[in-house]
Amino acid sequence: DEAEQVWVWEYETDEGAHDLYMDQGEEIRFRVVDEVFIDTSPTGPSTEKEGPSTAGTVPPAGAEDSTQQKEAPYTLI
């Protein structure tokens, strides 16, 4: 919240959304109920063989973004 110069976590429950304010320098407490780890290690080259017509060409701008969706490697729930 730029007007109040604080971080606000919009916490959603079955009863609706709640704003939890986090003031700078103040201690916060939370409970971790689950953790998720996704292995984002690099993989080897693709097994598809490229023909001479596609070799050395640059994919159109934004083409990689649509095919590869980045995921956070570690998430706390």
Side-chain angles (χ1 to χ4, degrees), residues 35-40 69-76:
E35 58 184 331
V36 179
F37 177 75
I38 299 172
D39 187 6
T40 58
Q69 182 177 2
K70 296 193 178 209
E71 296 185 53
Y74 189 71
T75 304
L76 294 175

Side-chain angles (χ1 to χ4, degrees), residues 3-28:
E4 304 227 6
Q5 293 293 304
V6 295
W7 287 96
V8 179
W9 176 19
E10 295 175 357
Y11 181 73
E12 294 187 27
T13 66
D14 295 336
E15 300 163 358
H18 304 280
D19 289 342
L20 301 175
Y21 292 89
M22 295 178 267
D23 295 318
Q24 185 175 1
E26 293 293 320
E27 185 175 302
I28 60 170

